[in-house]
Each structure stands twice: as structure tokens, then as C-alpha cells.
Amino acid sequence: MTCQRRLLRELDRLLPGGQWRVVQERPWFSLTFSGVQMTLACTPAPGRGPQEVAAILEAHEFTLPGRIVADIAVEEADGGLVVVLLVLEG
């Protein structure tokens, strides 16, 4: 199973009732790390606001074998949310 598919399944379990869609996935590199930056669009379940989604994502330990979710940003956009994750190869 791909990293993208694992991540989407985990987000579905973590925030049930929401809809997730990958908007962009691009390679990410620094001098010491490599990985991918994923931009996702999210329509949260009714009654879930951006602060709640951000708090849940911040507190969650993602289980992506061989990878680490190093950074998460959540912003409101077009009646939904944009979530940007930096996923590093471990």
C-alpha cells in the first residue's frame, strides 16, 4: 500500500465522516532529509471546525511504516480545509 493511501485511510479513521482529497504531492528535500509534501483538501464532518481538526491532527501519532509526519498546517478555504503535511522518509 502506498504512503498516500495509508495516510488517507488513517485520516478517515481519525476524523470519521470527513472527505479527503489529495490536491498536490511533491518531493521535498533538505540537506539531511527527504520526503514528500502533501496538500490535501478536507471537508470535515458537520460540526467539526478547523481548530478541532488541527488539534486532533496535532495530537495524533501517525503510523506510516518507514516515514515520519514532521509538520502539519491547517487552513480554512472555500468552505473546507486545506491540510499540508510534510512526510519524511525514516
Side-chain angles (χ1 to χ4, degrees):
M1 184 179 307
T2 66
C3 175
Q4 184 184 103
R5 179 176 259 164
R6 282 183 192 270
L7 180 63
L8 290 172
R9 288 180 85 183
E10 192 161 342
L11 289 168
D12 283 338
R13 279 185 254 127
L14 182 63
L15 294 159
Q19 294 180 337
W20 296 90
R21 182 175 56 86
V22 177
V23 175
Q24 181 181 34
E25 183 175 332
R26 65 183 180 101
W28 182 93
F29 301 96
S30 73
L31 288 175
T32 53
F33 297 103
S34 65
V36 64
Q37 184 182 53
M38 289 187 194
T39 303
L40 308 171
C42 172
T43 303
R48 286 229 161 122
Q51 292 84 9
E52 182 182 2
V53 170
I56 290 169
L57 291 174
E58 180 181 296
H60 183 66
E61 291 264 344
F62 286 87
T63 54
L64 301 171
R67 292 176 172 82
I68 300 166
V69 176
D71 194 24
I72 301 171
V74 179
E75 296 181 15
E76 289 184 74
D78 299 327
L81 303 174
V82 173
V83 179
V84 180
L85 299 106
L86 178 57
V87 183
L88 302 178
E89 295 176 5

Coordinates of all heavy atoms in Angstrom, one line a residue:
M1 N 0.9 -1.2 0.0 CA 0.0 0.0 0.0 C 0.9 1.2 0.0 O 1.9 1.3 0.7 CB -0.9 0.0 1.2 CG -1.9 1.1 1.3 SD -3.0 1.1 2.7 CE -3.7 -0.5 2.7
T2 N 0.6 2.2 -0.8 CA 1.4 3.4 -0.9 C 1.2 4.3 0.3 O 0.2 4.2 1.1 CB 0.9 4.3 -2.1 OG1 -0.4 4.8 -1.9 CG2 1.0 3.5 -3.4
C3 N 2.2 5.2 0.5 CA 2.1 6.1 1.7 C 0.9 7.0 1.6 O 0.2 7.2 2.6 CB 3.4 7.0 1.6 SG 3.4 8.3 2.9
Q4 N 0.6 7.4 0.4 CA -0.6 8.3 0.2 C -1.9 7.6 0.7 O -2.7 8.1 1.4 CB -0.7 8.7 -1.2 CG -1.9 9.7 -1.5 CD -1.9 10.0 -3.0 OE1 -2.8 9.5 -3.7 NE2 -1.0 10.8 -3.5
R5 N -2.0 6.3 0.2 CA -3.2 5.5 0.5 C -3.3 5.3 2.0 O -4.3 5.4 2.7 CB -3.2 4.2 -0.2 CG -4.4 3.4 0.1 CD -4.5 2.1 -0.7 NE -5.4 2.4 -1.8 CZ -5.6 1.7 -2.9 NH1 -4.7 0.8 -3.1 NH2 -6.5 2.0 -3.7
R6 N -2.1 4.9 2.7 CA -2.1 4.7 4.1 C -2.5 5.9 4.9 O -3.3 5.9 5.8 CB -0.7 4.2 4.6 CG -0.4 2.8 4.3 CD 1.0 2.5 4.8 NE 1.5 1.3 4.4 CZ 1.3 0.1 5.0 NH1 0.6 0.1 6.1 NH2 1.8 -1.0 4.5
L7 N -2.0 7.1 4.4 CA -2.3 8.3 5.1 C -3.8 8.6 5.0 O -4.4 9.0 6.0 CB -1.5 9.5 4.5 CG -1.7 10.8 5.1 CD1 -1.3 10.9 6.6 CD2 -0.9 11.9 4.3
L8 N -4.4 8.5 3.8 CA -5.8 8.8 3.7 C -6.7 7.8 4.5 O -7.6 8.2 5.1 CB -6.2 8.7 2.2 CG -5.6 9.8 1.3 CD1 -5.9 9.5 -0.2 CD2 -6.2 11.2 1.7
R9 N -6.3 6.5 4.6 CA -7.0 5.6 5.4 C -6.9 6.0 6.9 O -7.9 5.9 7.6 CB -6.5 4.2 5.2 CG -6.9 3.6 3.9 CD -6.4 2.2 3.7 NE -7.3 1.3 4.3 CZ -7.2 0.0 4.3 NH1 -6.1 -0.5 3.8 NH2 -8.1 -0.8 4.9
E10 N -5.8 6.4 7.3 CA -5.6 6.8 8.7 C -6.4 8.1 9.0 O -7.0 8.2 10.1 CB -4.1 7.0 9.0 CG -3.8 7.1 10.5 CD -2.4 6.9 10.9 OE1 -1.6 6.3 10.1 OE2 -2.0 7.3 12.0
L11 N -6.4 9.0 8.1 CA -7.2 10.2 8.3 C -8.7 9.9 8.4 O -9.4 10.5 9.1 CB -6.9 11.2 7.2 CG -5.5 11.9 7.3 CD1 -5.2 12.6 6.0 CD2 -5.4 12.8 8.5
D12 N -9.2 9.0 7.5 CA -10.6 8.6 7.6 C -10.9 8.0 8.9 O -12.0 8.2 9.4 CB -10.9 7.6 6.5 CG -11.0 8.2 5.1 OD1 -11.3 9.4 5.0 OD2 -10.8 7.5 4.1
R13 N -10.0 7.2 9.5 CA -10.3 6.6 10.8 C -10.2 7.6 11.9 O -11.0 7.6 12.9 CB -9.3 5.5 11.1 CG -9.7 4.2 10.4 CD -8.8 3.0 10.8 NE -7.9 2.8 9.7 CZ -6.6 2.7 9.7 NH1 -5.9 2.9 10.8 NH2 -5.9 2.5 8.6
L14 N -9.3 8.6 11.8 CA -9.1 9.6 12.8 C -10.2 10.6 12.8 O -10.6 11.0 13.9 CB -7.7 10.3 12.5 CG -7.3 11.3 13.5 CD1 -7.1 10.8 14.9 CD2 -6.0 12.0 13.0
L15 N -10.7 11.0 11.7 CA -11.7 12.0 11.6 C -12.9 11.5 10.7 O -13.1 11.9 9.6 CB -11.2 13.3 10.9 CG -10.1 14.0 11.8 CD1 -9.2 14.9 11.0 CD2 -10.8 14.8 12.9
P16 N -13.7 10.5 11.3 CA -14.7 9.9 10.5 C -15.8 10.9 10.0 O -16.0 11.9 10.7 CB -15.3 8.9 11.5 CG -14.9 9.3 12.8 CD -13.6 10.1 12.7
G17 N -16.3 10.6 8.9 CA -17.4 11.5 8.3 C -16.8 12.6 7.5 O -17.6 13.3 6.8
G18 N -15.5 12.8 7.5 CA -14.9 13.8 6.6 C -14.6 13.3 5.2 O -14.6 12.0 5.0
Q19 N -14.4 14.1 4.3 CA -13.9 13.7 2.9 C -12.6 14.3 2.7 O -12.4 15.5 2.8 CB -14.9 14.2 1.9 CG -16.3 13.5 2.0 CD -17.3 14.0 1.0 OE1 -17.1 15.1 0.4 NE2 -18.3 13.2 0.7
W20 N -11.6 13.5 2.2 CA -10.3 13.9 1.9 C -10.0 13.7 0.5 O -10.4 12.7 -0.1 CB -9.3 13.0 2.8 CG -9.5 13.2 4.2 CD1 -10.3 12.6 5.1 CD2 -8.8 14.2 5.0 NE1 -10.2 13.1 6.3 CE2 -9.2 14.1 6.3 CE3 -7.9 15.2 4.7 CZ2 -8.8 14.9 7.4 CZ3 -7.4 16.0 5.8 CH2 -7.9 15.8 7.1
R21 N -9.2 14.6 -0.1 CA -8.8 14.5 -1.5 C -7.4 15.1 -1.6 O -7.0 16.2 -1.0 CB -9.7 15.4 -2.3 CG -9.4 15.3 -3.8 CD -10.5 16.1 -4.6 NE -10.7 17.4 -4.2 CZ -10.0 18.5 -4.6 NH1 -9.0 18.3 -5.5 NH2 -10.3 19.7 -4.2
V22 N -6.5 14.4 -2.3 CA -5.1 14.8 -2.5 C -5.1 15.9 -3.6 O -5.6 15.6 -4.7 CB -4.2 13.7 -2.9 CG1 -2.8 14.2 -3.2 CG2 -4.1 12.6 -1.8
V23 N -4.6 17.1 -3.3 CA -4.6 18.2 -4.2 C -3.2 18.2 -4.9 O -3.1 18.4 -6.1 CB -4.9 19.5 -3.5 CG1 -4.7 20.7 -4.5 CG2 -6.2 19.5 -2.9
Q24 N -2.2 18.0 -4.1 CA -0.8 18.0 -4.7 C 0.1 17.2 -3.8 O -0.1 17.1 -2.6 CB -0.3 19.5 -4.7 CG 1.1 19.6 -5.3 CD 1.6 21.1 -5.3 OE1 1.2 21.8 -4.4 NE2 2.3 21.4 -6.3
E25 N 1.0 16.5 -4.5 CA 2.0 15.8 -3.8 C 3.3 16.1 -4.5 O 3.4 15.9 -5.8 CB 1.7 14.3 -3.8 CG 2.7 13.4 -3.1 CD 2.4 12.0 -3.0 OE1 1.2 11.6 -3.1 OE2 3.3 11.2 -2.9
R26 N 4.3 16.6 -3.8 CA 5.6 16.9 -4.5 C 6.8 16.5 -3.6 O 6.7 16.5 -2.3 CB 5.7 18.4 -4.8 CG 5.7 19.3 -3.6 CD 5.7 20.8 -4.1 NE 5.7 21.7 -3.0 CZ 6.7 22.3 -2.6 NH1 7.9 22.1 -3.2 NH2 6.7 23.1 -1.5
P27 N 7.9 16.1 -4.2 CA 9.1 15.7 -3.4 C 9.5 16.9 -2.6 O 9.4 18.1 -3.0 CB 10.1 15.4 -4.5 CG 9.3 15.2 -5.7 CD 8.1 16.0 -5.6
W28 N 10.1 16.6 -1.5 CA 10.7 17.6 -0.6 C 12.0 17.2 -0.1 O 12.2 16.0 0.2 CB 9.7 17.8 0.6 CG 10.2 18.9 1.6 CD1 9.8 20.2 1.6 CD2 11.1 18.7 2.7 NE1 10.4 20.8 2.6 CE2 11.2 20.0 3.3 CE3 11.8 17.7 3.2 CZ2 12.0 20.2 4.4 CZ3 12.7 17.9 4.3 CH2 12.7 19.2 4.9
F29 N 13.0 18.1 -0.1 CA 14.4 17.7 0.2 C 15.0 18.8 1.1 O 14.7 20.0 0.9 CB 15.3 17.6 -1.0 CG 14.8 16.5 -1.9 CD1 14.0 16.8 -3.0 CD2 15.1 15.2 -1.7 CE1 13.5 15.8 -3.9 CE2 14.7 14.2 -2.6 CZ 13.9 14.5 -3.7
S30 N 15.8 18.5 2.0 CA 16.7 19.4 2.7 C 18.1 18.8 2.6 O 18.3 17.7 2.0 CB 16.3 19.6 4.2 OG 16.6 18.4 4.9
L31 N 19.1 19.3 3.3 CA 20.4 18.8 3.3 C 20.5 17.4 4.0 O 21.3 16.6 3.6 CB 21.4 19.7 3.9 CG 21.8 21.0 3.1 CD1 22.7 21.9 3.9 CD2 22.4 20.6 1.8
T32 N 19.6 17.2 5.0 CA 19.7 16.0 5.7 C 18.5 15.0 5.6 O 18.5 13.9 6.1 CB 19.9 16.3 7.2 OG1 18.9 17.2 7.6 CG2 21.2 16.9 7.5
F33 N 17.4 15.5 5.1 CA 16.2 14.7 5.0 C 15.6 14.8 3.6 O 15.8 15.7 2.8 CB 15.1 15.2 6.0 CG 15.5 15.1 7.4 CD1 15.9 16.2 8.1 CD2 15.5 13.9 8.1 CE1 16.3 16.2 9.4 CE2 15.8 13.8 9.4 CZ 16.3 14.9 10.1
S34 N 14.8 13.7 3.3 CA 14.0 13.8 2.1 C 12.6 13.2 2.4 O 12.4 12.5 3.4 CB 14.6 12.9 1.0 OG 14.6 11.6 1.3
G35 N 11.6 13.6 1.6 CA 10.3 13.1 1.8 C 9.4 13.7 0.8 O 9.7 13.9 -0.4
V36 N 8.1 13.9 1.2 CA 7.1 14.4 0.3 C 6.2 15.5 1.1 O 6.0 15.3 2.3 CB 6.2 13.3 -0.3 CG1 5.5 12.6 0.8 CG2 5.3 13.8 -1.4
Q37 N 5.8 16.5 0.4 CA 4.9 17.4 0.9 C 3.5 17.2 0.3 O 3.4 17.2 -1.0 CB 5.3 18.9 0.7 CG 4.4 19.9 1.3 CD 4.8 21.3 1.0 OE1 4.9 21.7 -0.2 NE2 4.9 22.1 2.0
M38 N 2.5 16.8 1.1 CA 1.2 16.5 0.6 C 0.2 17.6 0.9 O 0.2 18.0 2.1 CB 0.7 15.2 1.2 CG 1.4 14.0 0.7 SD 0.5 12.5 1.3 CE 1.7 11.3 1.0
T39 N -0.5 18.1 0.0 CA -1.5 19.1 0.2 C -2.9 18.4 0.0 O -3.1 17.8 -1.1 CB -1.4 20.3 -0.7 OG1 -0.1 20.9 -0.6 CG2 -2.5 21.3 -0.5
L40 N -3.7 18.4 1.0 CA -5.0 17.7 1.0 C -6.1 18.7 1.2 O -6.0 19.7 1.9 CB -5.1 16.7 2.1 CG -3.9 15.7 2.2 CD1 -4.1 14.9 3.5 CD2 -3.9 14.8 1.0
A41 N -7.2 18.4 0.5 CA -8.5 19.2 0.7 C -9.3 18.3 1.6 O -9.4 17.1 1.4 CB -9.2 19.5 -0.6
C42 N -10.0 19.0 2.6 CA -10.8 18.2 3.5 C -12.1 19.0 3.7 O -12.2 20.2 3.9 CB -10.1 18.1 4.9 SG -11.1 17.4 6.2
T43 N -13.2 18.2 3.6 CA -14.5 18.7 4.0 C -14.8 17.9 5.3 O -15.1 16.7 5.3 CB -15.6 18.3 3.0 OG1 -15.2 18.9 1.7 CG2 -16.9 18.9 3.4
P44 N -14.6 18.6 6.5 CA -14.8 17.9 7.7 C -16.3 17.5 7.9 O -17.2 18.0 7.3 CB -14.4 18.9 8.8 CG -14.1 20.1 8.1 CD -14.3 20.0 6.6
A45 N -16.5 16.5 8.8 CA -17.8 16.1 9.2 C -18.5 17.3 9.8 O -17.9 18.2 10.4 CB -17.7 15.0 10.3
P46 N -19.8 17.4 9.6 CA -20.6 18.5 10.2 C -20.3 18.7 11.6 O -20.2 17.8 12.4 CB -22.1 18.1 9.9 CG -22.0 17.2 8.8 CD -20.7 16.4 8.9
G47 N -20.1 20.0 12.0 CA -19.9 20.4 13.4 C -18.4 20.4 13.8 O -18.0 20.8 14.9
R48 N -17.5 19.9 12.9 CA -16.1 20.0 13.1 C -15.5 21.2 12.5 O -15.5 21.3 11.3 CB -15.4 18.7 12.6 CG -15.7 17.5 13.4 CD -14.4 16.8 13.7 NE -14.6 15.9 14.9 CZ -14.3 14.6 14.8 NH1 -13.9 14.1 13.7 NH2 -14.5 13.9 15.9
G49 N -14.9 22.1 13.3 CA -14.2 23.3 12.8 C -12.8 23.1 12.6 O -12.2 22.1 13.0
P50 N -12.1 24.0 12.0 CA -10.7 23.9 11.7 C -9.8 23.8 13.0 O -8.8 23.1 13.0 CB -10.3 25.2 11.0 CG -11.5 26.1 11.1 CD -12.7 25.3 11.5
Q51 N -10.2 24.5 14.1 CA -9.4 24.4 15.3 C -9.5 22.9 15.9 O -8.5 22.4 16.3 CB -9.9 25.4 16.4 CG -9.7 26.8 16.0 CD -10.8 27.4 15.1 OE1 -11.8 26.8 14.8 NE2 -10.5 28.6 14.6
E52 N -10.7 22.3 15.8 CA -10.8 21.0 16.3 C -10.0 20.0 15.4 O -9.3 19.1 16.0 CB -12.3 20.5 16.3 CG -12.5 19.2 16.9 CD -13.9 18.7 16.9 OE1 -14.8 19.5 16.4 OE2 -14.2 17.6 17.3
V53 N -10.1 20.1 14.1 CA -9.4 19.3 13.2 C -7.9 19.4 13.4 O -7.1 18.5 13.6 CB -9.7 19.5 11.7 CG1 -8.8 18.8 10.8 CG2 -11.2 19.1 11.5
A54 N -7.4 20.7 13.6 CA -6.0 20.9 13.8 C -5.5 20.3 15.1 O -4.5 19.7 15.2 CB -5.7 22.4 13.8
A55 N -6.3 20.4 16.2 CA -6.0 19.9 17.5 C -5.9 18.3 17.4 O -5.0 17.7 18.0 CB -7.0 20.3 18.5
I56 N -6.8 17.7 16.7 CA -6.8 16.2 16.6 C -5.6 15.8 15.8 O -4.9 14.9 16.2 CB -8.1 15.8 15.9 CG1 -9.3 15.9 16.9 CG2 -8.0 14.3 15.5 CD1 -10.6 15.8 16.2
L57 N -5.3 16.5 14.7 CA -4.1 16.1 13.9 C -2.8 16.3 14.6 O -1.9 15.5 14.6 CB -4.1 16.9 12.6 CG -5.2 16.6 11.6 CD1 -5.1 17.6 10.4 CD2 -5.0 15.2 11.1
E58 N -2.7 17.4 15.4 CA -1.5 17.8 16.2 C -1.2 16.7 17.2 O -0.1 16.3 17.5 CB -1.7 19.1 16.8 CG -0.5 19.6 17.6 CD -0.8 20.9 18.3 OE1 -0.9 21.9 17.5 OE2 -0.8 21.0 19.5
A59 N -2.3 16.2 17.8 CA -2.1 15.2 18.9 C -1.9 13.8 18.4 O -1.5 12.9 19.2 CB -3.3 15.3 19.9
H60 N -2.2 13.5 17.2 CA -2.1 12.2 16.7 C -0.7 11.7 16.3 O 0.0 12.5 15.7 CB -3.0 12.1 15.4 CG -3.1 10.7 14.9 ND1 -3.7 9.7 15.6 CD2 -2.7 10.2 13.7 CE1 -3.7 8.6 14.8 NE2 -3.1 8.8 13.7
E61 N -0.4 10.5 16.6 CA 0.9 9.8 16.2 C 0.6 9.0 15.0 O -0.1 8.0 15.1 CB 1.4 8.9 17.3 CG 1.9 9.7 18.5 CD 3.4 9.9 18.5 OE1 4.1 9.2 17.7 OE2 3.9 10.7 19.2
F62 N 1.0 9.5 13.8 CA 0.7 8.7 12.6 C 1.5 7.5 12.5 O 2.7 7.5 13.0 CB 1.0 9.6 11.4 CG 0.0 10.7 11.1 CD1 0.1 11.9 11.8 CD2 -1.1 10.4 10.3 CE1 -0.9 12.9 11.6 CE2 -2.1 11.4 10.1 CZ -2.0 12.6 10.8
T63 N 1.0 6.4 11.9 CA 1.7 5.1 11.8 C 1.9 4.8 10.4 O 1.1 4.1 9.7 CB 0.9 4.0 12.5 OG1 -0.5 4.0 12.0 CG2 0.8 4.2 14.0
L64 N 2.9 5.4 9.8 CA 3.3 5.2 8.4 C 4.6 4.5 8.4 O 5.6 5.2 8.7 CB 3.3 6.6 7.6 CG 2.1 7.4 7.6 CD1 2.3 8.8 7.0 CD2 1.0 6.7 6.8
P65 N 4.7 3.2 8.2 CA 5.9 2.5 8.2 C 7.0 3.2 7.4 O 6.9 3.5 6.2 CB 5.6 1.1 7.7 CG 4.1 1.0 7.9 CD 3.6 2.4 7.7
G66 N 8.2 3.4 8.1 CA 9.3 4.0 7.4 C 9.2 5.5 7.2 O 10.1 6.0 6.5
R67 N 8.2 6.1 7.7 CA 8.0 7.6 7.5 C 7.6 8.3 8.8 O 7.1 7.6 9.7 CB 7.0 7.8 6.4 CG 7.4 7.3 5.1 CD 6.4 7.4 4.0 NE 6.9 7.1 2.7 CZ 7.0 5.9 2.2 NH1 6.7 4.9 2.9 NH2 7.5 5.8 1.0
I68 N 7.9 9.5 8.8 CA 7.5 10.4 10.0 C 6.8 11.6 9.5 O 7.2 12.3 8.5 CB 8.8 10.9 10.7 CG1 9.6 9.7 11.2 CG2 8.4 11.8 11.8 CD1 11.0 10.0 11.6
V69 N 5.6 11.9 10.1 CA 4.9 13.1 9.7 C 5.6 14.2 10.6 O 5.4 14.3 11.8 CB 3.4 13.0 10.0 CG1 2.7 14.4 9.8 CG2 2.8 12.0 9.1
A70 N 6.3 15.1 9.9 CA 7.2 16.1 10.6 C 6.5 17.4 10.8 O 6.8 18.2 11.8 CB 8.5 16.3 9.9
D71 N 5.5 17.7 10.0 CA 4.8 19.0 10.1 C 3.4 19.0 9.5 O 3.2 18.2 8.6 CB 5.7 20.1 9.4 CG 5.3 21.5 9.7 OD1 4.7 21.7 10.8 OD2 5.5 22.4 8.9
I72 N 2.5 19.7 10.1 CA 1.1 19.8 9.7 C 0.7 21.2 9.7 O 0.9 21.9 10.8 CB 0.2 18.9 10.5 CG1 0.7 17.4 10.5 CG2 -1.2 19.0 10.1 CD1 -0.1 16.6 11.5
A73 N 0.1 21.7 8.7 CA -0.6 23.0 8.7 C -2.0 22.9 8.2 O -2.3 22.1 7.3 CB 0.2 24.0 7.7
V74 N -2.9 23.6 8.9 CA -4.3 23.5 8.6 C -4.9 24.9 8.4 O -4.6 25.8 9.2 CB -5.2 22.8 9.7 CG1 -6.6 22.8 9.4 CG2 -4.6 21.4 10.0
E75 N -5.5 25.1 7.2 CA -6.1 26.5 6.9 C -7.5 26.3 6.4 O -7.8 25.3 5.7 CB -5.3 27.2 5.8 CG -3.9 27.5 6.3 CD -3.1 28.2 5.1 OE1 -3.8 28.7 4.2 OE2 -1.9 28.3 5.2
E76 N -8.4 27.3 6.7 CA -9.7 27.3 6.1 C -9.6 27.8 4.6 O -8.9 28.7 4.3 CB -10.6 28.2 6.9 CG -11.0 27.7 8.3 CD -11.9 28.6 9.0 OE1 -13.1 28.6 8.6 OE2 -11.5 29.4 9.9
A77 N -10.5 27.1 3.8 CA -10.5 27.5 2.4 C -11.8 27.0 1.7 O -12.1 25.8 1.8 CB -9.3 27.0 1.6
D78 N -12.5 27.9 1.1 CA -13.7 27.5 0.3 C -14.7 26.6 1.0 O -15.1 25.6 0.5 CB -13.2 26.8 -1.0 CG -12.4 27.8 -1.9 OD1 -12.6 29.0 -1.9 OD2 -11.5 27.3 -2.6
G79 N -15.0 26.9 2.2 CA -16.0 26.1 3.0 C -15.4 24.8 3.5 O -16.1 24.0 4.1
G80 N -14.1 24.6 3.3 CA -13.5 23.3 3.8 C -12.1 23.7 4.4 O -11.9 24.8 4.9
L81 N -11.3 22.7 4.4 CA -9.9 22.9 5.0 C -8.9 22.5 4.0 O -9.1 21.6 3.1 CB -9.7 22.1 6.2 CG -10.7 22.3 7.4 CD1 -10.5 21.3 8.5 CD2 -10.6 23.8 7.9
V82 N -7.7 23.1 4.0 CA -6.5 22.7 3.3 C -5.5 22.2 4.4 O -5.2 23.0 5.3 CB -5.9 23.8 2.4 CG1 -4.6 23.3 1.8 CG2 -6.9 24.2 1.4
V83 N -5.1 21.0 4.2 CA -4.1 20.4 5.2 C -2.8 20.1 4.4 O -2.9 19.4 3.4 CB -4.7 19.1 5.8 CG1 -3.7 18.5 6.8 CG2 -6.0 19.4 6.5
V84 N -1.7 20.6 4.9 CA -0.4 20.4 4.3 C 0.4 19.6 5.3 O 0.6 20.0 6.4 CB 0.3 21.7 3.9 CG1 1.6 21.4 3.3 CG2 -0.6 22.6 3.0
L85 N 0.9 18.5 4.8 CA 1.7 17.6 5.7 C 3.1 17.4 5.1 O 3.2 17.2 3.8 CB 1.1 16.2 5.8 CG -0.3 16.2 6.4 CD1 -1.4 15.9 5.4 CD2 -0.4 15.1 7.5
L86 N 4.1 17.4 5.9 CA 5.4 17.1 5.5 C 5.8 15.7 6.0 O 5.8 15.5 7.2 CB 6.4 18.1 6.0 CG 7.9 17.9 5.7 CD1 8.1 17.8 4.2 CD2 8.8 18.9 6.3
V87 N 5.9 14.8 5.1 CA 6.1 13.4 5.4 C 7.6 13.0 5.1 O 7.9 13.0 3.9 CB 5.1 12.4 4.7 CG1 5.4 11.0 5.2 CG2 3.7 12.9 5.0
L88 N 8.4 12.7 6.1 CA 9.8 12.4 5.8 C 10.0 10.9 5.8 O 9.4 10.2 6.5 CB 10.7 13.0 6.9 CG 10.6 14.5 7.1 CD1 11.5 15.0 8.3 CD2 10.9 15.3 5.8
E89 N 11.0 10.5 5.0 CA 11.4 9.1 5.0 C 12.3 8.9 6.2 O 13.2 9.6 6.4 CB 12.1 8.8 3.7 CG 11.1 8.9 2.5 CD 11.8 8.7 1.1 OE1 13.0 8.3 1.1 OE2 11.2 8.9 0.1
G90 N 12.0 7.8 6.9 CA 12.7 7.5 8.1 C 13.9 6.6 7.9 O 14.3 6.1 6.9

